[in-house]
Amino acid sequence: MDVVELEALLVSQRFQPFHARQTYRWIHRRGVTDPSEMTDLPLALRTRLRAEVAITTPDVIRDETSVDGTRKLMLGLADGRMIESVFIPDTPAMTFCVSTQVGCAMGCGFCLTGQMGLVRHLTAGEIVGQVRVLAALTGMLERPFNIVLMGMGEPLHNYDNTMKALRILNSEHGLAVSPRRVTLSTVGIVPALDRLAHEPLMPNLAVSLHATTDEQRTALVPPNRKYPLADILDACRRFPLKKRSRITFEYVMLAGVNDSAEDARRLARLLHGLKAKVNLIPLNPAPGIPFERPSDVRVDRFAQILADRHLTVSVRKSRGRDIRAACGQLIVEGGTRKTAAQQMAQLIR
Ligand code: SAH
Ligand code: SF4
């Protein structure tokens, strides 16, 4: 529930609306979910909340820390489904990478989450719940952090719950996370991008491009069949950017597939005239992923070609690879679909 919904609920039960804001502070800012501990609420309200309202928080099933400080949580949801969320320290900000779905329907060929297929959307409460758990565990409830919607799932495929989560996170009675601190990463679902362009709480936008021709992109990112490159880039051109802000274009680099000098030149041409920056992500390989990571030399050459054409380029340093917390490595056993190679990898692990 957002604060307005909680207010309406309390008012319908003849409680004062400001108790909603107090309740919100307990849950979101202080991490208290047991109503009997919410000492500034009237006793009658505490009793009713305990008896009639479920305040659920994802359970930490597994908590692993990488040698580089990245921390990956496996979280159990109320229905027993599981998701992963990641804390990435000092990038230079503190960043939480959160999921928006259990699995993902988009089926990108290099992504383990994509191989699970979509199990279900997350609710707004489950998206926010990951942030509450991460902030509490890392001692960040009172400190500023960034959020990237780059965990499991395609946020624009779960549009309403994702936007509601941003509203809840933004609430001044909760964690008060400014949308400027949030980055939404998407494969580019064009109608949803156009809808996003009119949102009052506008996150930063990252678009997963990964290829420079429709043929190549459709092979890697199947939704490209419906929303081809030109349509996505047009939607990006229409996107209302604030002063000095830019769209990030993510490009997973796959050895011998999309990492040639010709690809780099085509990419620069495609992005011409856009307020863009490019984030190159050398593939994080995994069993069952039929691609390889290019050499650093090849990645650097690609980056140089873009930089020579006046594009801002960064190469994403993979964090947490030793605990499979890096991009594209989030997967929870027991997904709906598994390839033969994955099953084999599991057997021989
Ligand atoms: N569904 C959204 C957000 C989650 S994926 C999207 O695709 O944008 C976040 C980023 O991780 C995407 O840019 C995605 O392409 C990248 N990624 C997926 N699998 C990867 C892998 N195996 N190695 C490196 N990056 C990967
Ligand atoms: Fe889904 Fe993103 Fe993975 Fe593609 S890269 S399958 S859109 S999570």
Side-chain angles (χ1 to χ4, degrees):
M1 274 187 234
D2 59 33
V3 123
V4 178
E5 288 170 328
L6 187 57
E7 261 172 20
L9 176 74
L10 296 194
V11 169
S12 76
Q13 302 299 308
R14 298 198 191 81
F15 289 103
Q16 296 292 327
F18 71 89
H19 294 317
R21 305 195 280 274
Q22 291 173 311
T23 311
Y24 232 64
R25 266 197 291 277
W26 282 111
I27 298 173
H28 292 279
R29 227 187 270 171
R30 300 187 190 134
V32 171
T33 52
D34 178 355
S36 48
E37 291 174 31
M38 301 181 182
T39 44
D40 56 0
L41 298 183
L43 198 56
L45 178 54
R46 280 185 253 168
T47 311
R48 290 284 300 277
L49 285 175
R50 270 195 73 153
E52 294 168 36
V53 174
I55 305 174
T56 53
T57 303
D59 289 323
V60 180
I61 307 285
R62 209 192 298 154
D63 178 350
E64 293 168 277
T65 303
S66 159
V67 287
D68 65 21
T70 302
R71 192 163 168 187
K72 179 173 84 166
L73 304 182
M74 185 195 278
L75 298 177
L77 306 172
D79 67 349
R81 297 288 185 194
M82 284 189 274
I83 49 170
E84 292 185 321
S85 320
V86 183
F87 169 59
I88 313 156
D90 311 311
T91 54
M94 303 293 176
T95 302
F96 299 148
C97 176
V98 306
S99 299
T100 53
Q101 297 177 315
V102 184
C104 181
M106 302 296 130
C108 303
F110 45 80
C111 173
L112 282 179
T113 309
Q115 292 196 350
M116 292 174 66
L118 178 65
V119 179
R120 70 167 174 83
H121 293 313
L122 294 185
T123 64
E126 288 166 337
I127 298 170
V128 175
Q130 297 167 70
V131 178
R132 289 200 288 117
V133 170
L134 281 163
L137 272 182
T138 57
M140 298 285 298
L141 278 170
E142 304 284 341
R143 290 164 56 196
F145 50 80
N146 292 343
I147 297 174
V148 294
L149 301 176
M150 295 187 187
M152 301 166 77
E154 166 50 48
L156 293 188
H157 186 211
N158 185 16
Y159 191 94
D160 291 334
N161 293 339
T162 299
M163 289 305 142
K164 184 171 179 183
L166 296 192
R167 273 201 310 280
I168 295 173
L169 287 165
N170 180 244
S171 167
E172 56 175 322
H173 310 294
L175 288 168
V177 180
S178 151
R180 278 191 310 258
R181 288 194 162 270
V182 181
T183 299
L184 183 152
S185 174
T186 175
V187 284
I189 299 176
V190 172
L193 275 176
D194 284 332
R195 219 177 135 193
L196 188 67
H198 297 102
E199 288 290 341
L201 289 182
M202 174 91 71
N204 301 304
L205 183 60
V207 176
S208 289
L209 222 52
H210 312 321
T212 52
T213 67
D214 280 320
E215 192 189 353
Q216 195 185 45
R217 192 167 188 270
T218 300
L220 296 174
V221 183
N224 191 70
R225 205 168 294 131
K226 197 157 173 200
Y227 305 114
L229 278 170
D231 294 4
I232 293 173
L233 293 169
D234 278 349
C236 291
R237 288 198 170 83
R238 296 192 285 272
F239 205 77
L241 290 174
K242 287 187 211 83
K243 244 191 234 151
R244 280 194 292 278
S245 68
R246 283 179 286 182
I247 298 179
T248 300
F249 290 91
E250 296 161 284
Y251 194 97
V252 171
M253 297 198 66
L254 311 169
V257 176
N258 65 355
D259 63 343
S260 70
E262 186 52 38
D263 286 306
R265 286 191 288 268
R266 261 199 308 264
L267 180 58
R269 275 200 298 276
L270 279 177
L271 299 182
H272 186 77
L274 269 156
K275 284 169 78 181
K277 53 186 171 188
V278 177
N279 191 202
L280 300 176
I281 317 172
L283 177 78
N284 293 311
I289 298 291
F291 298 102
E292 279 164 35
R293 181 188 181 89
S295 67
D296 291 351
V297 174
R298 248 177 118 78
V299 173
D300 286 348
R301 192 185 57 167
F302 197 96
Q304 192 58 52
I305 293 171
L306 298 176
D308 288 345
R309 285 157 178 74
H310 311 295
L311 278 159
T312 305
V313 196
S314 56
V315 178
R316 188 176 295 177
K317 206 171 123 209
S318 290
R319 305 280 298 252
R321 277 166 74 189
D322 55 333
I323 54 164
R324 292 192 174 262
C327 305
Q329 298 190 312
L330 304 184
I331 186 167
V332 176
E333 251 80 52
T336 47
R337 261 192 281 143
K338 254 198 201 98
T339 61
Q342 267 185 310
Q343 290 170 8
M344 185 66 80
Q346 229 180 328
L347 285 175
I348 60 177
R349 200 178 291 155

